[in-house]
């Protein structure tokens, strides 16, 4: 009898775990469909992605494709919905491929901004109002393994980008570092075998 009870208890636990996993996967699938639908509603049809994490602390999106300008292997937002002035605590971007058209009047980051806003709305589920800008409150920002293609007419320059903005201090300011590297660069009359730029900068949450 005891062995039978143990087997039943183990089976019940396994069944509960399977049910919980199934519900969690269903939640991720529903979130994926909702974000894709919202992106289409905001004028970004054809967007595809996969939600792999969704909880009160944030959301992770993978295999993001907003053709033809933007592709991201992984985008993670860590949120603090109890802090209205700074709900976004950390933004992590890895494996991004971005094409920026430098023609006048062409918005450079419109699709990325729409993606971040929709992702924030998805995780907050209407409990918190997204800020006017995802950079409001100076969140920690990490961008790695990213390439940006700069386009102007028939000319194209490929730049590798690494960017980090550290945790803000008590005064709201934060230090940052950006690394840019380009190889076989040809732009108009300019030709370079390689070019590397490393910049350190300071950001403030309020104007001087």
């Amino acid at each position: 009898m005891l062995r039978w009870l143990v087997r039943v208890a183990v089976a019940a636990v396994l069944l509960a775990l399977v049910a919980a996993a199934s519900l969690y996967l269903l939640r991720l699938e529903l979130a994926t469909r909702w974000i894709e639908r919202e992106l289409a509603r905001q004028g970004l049809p054809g967007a595809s992605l996969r939600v792999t994490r969704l909880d009160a602390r944030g959301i992770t999106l993978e295999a993001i494709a907003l053709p033809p300008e933007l592709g991201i292997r992984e985008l993670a937002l860590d949120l603090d919905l109890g802090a209205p002035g700074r709900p976004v605590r950390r933004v992590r971007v890895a494996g991004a491929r971005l094409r920026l058209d430098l023609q006048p009047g062409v918005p450079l980051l419109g699709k990325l901004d729409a993606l971040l806003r929709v992702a924030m709305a998805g995780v907050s589920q209407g409990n918190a109002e997204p800020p006017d800008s995802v950079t409001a409150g100076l969140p920690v920002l990490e961008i790695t393994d990213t390439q940006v293609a700069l386009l102007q007419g028939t000319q194209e320059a490929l730049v590798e980008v690494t960017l980090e903005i550290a945790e803000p201090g008590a005064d709201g300011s934060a230090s940052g570092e950006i690394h840019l590297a380009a190889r076989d660069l040809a732009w108009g009359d300019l030709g370079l075998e390689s070019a590397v730029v490393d910049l350190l900068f300071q950001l403030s949450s309020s104007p001087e």
Side-chain angles (χ1 to χ4, degrees):
M1 175 66 74
L2 181 59
R3 289 182 179 179
W4 183 83
L5 288 175
V6 170
R7 289 177 182 177
V8 170
V10 170
V13 170
L14 292 176
L15 182 61
L17 291 175
V18 170
S22 300
L23 290 175
Y24 184 73
L25 292 176
L26 178 60
R27 181 185 182 190
L28 297 181
E29 178 64 24
L30 291 175
T32 296
R33 294 178 183 177
W34 184 85
I35 290 176
E36 290 178 343
R37 185 172 65 250
E38 285 299 303
L39 288 173
R41 191 174 65 85
Q42 295 197 21
L44 300 177
S48 63
L49 53 92
R50 184 173 67 252
V51 178
T52 59
R53 176 181 68 107
L54 177 62
D55 52 42
R57 294 171 295 179
I59 185 170
T60 299
L61 313 178
E62 296 183 359
I64 302 166
L66 298 176
E69 291 91 355
L70 180 62
I72 301 176
R73 185 177 69 242
E74 180 180 287
L75 167 65
L77 300 181
D78 294 338
L79 306 181
D80 182 358
L81 299 181
R86 186 170 171 251
V88 183
R89 297 191 59 84
R90 184 183 299 269
V91 179
R92 299 190 305 276
V93 179
R97 300 296 181 264
L98 179 62
R99 295 169 62 86
L100 298 183
D101 193 335
L102 300 181
Q103 298 296 330
V106 177
L108 297 184
L109 298 177
K111 289 190 175 183
L112 181 58
D113 180 70
L115 174 65
L116 293 171
R117 287 176 179 273
V118 170
M120 286 179 59
V123 74
S124 64
Q125 299 178 352
N127 293 327
E129 185 68 20
D132 293 336
S133 170
V134 74
T135 56
L138 300 177
V140 174
L141 176 62
E142 299 174 1
I143 298 178
T144 58
D145 187 23
T146 291
Q147 291 183 346
V148 178
L150 304 175
L151 309 175
Q152 188 170 33
T154 59
Q155 298 187 96
E156 177 176 338
L158 189 63
V159 180
E160 297 177 358
V161 178
T162 300
L163 173 64
E164 181 177 356
I165 298 178
E167 182 78 21
D171 60 353
S173 64
S175 60
E177 181 177 352
I178 184 169
H179 171 79
L180 305 174
R183 294 176 176 82
D184 300 323
L185 181 63
W187 196 265
D189 297 330
L190 176 65
L192 293 174
E193 182 178 341
S194 65
V196 177
V197 177
D198 289 299
L199 297 174
L200 299 177
F201 54 89
Q202 190 81 14
L203 299 174
S204 175
S205 60
S206 60
E208 295 294 337

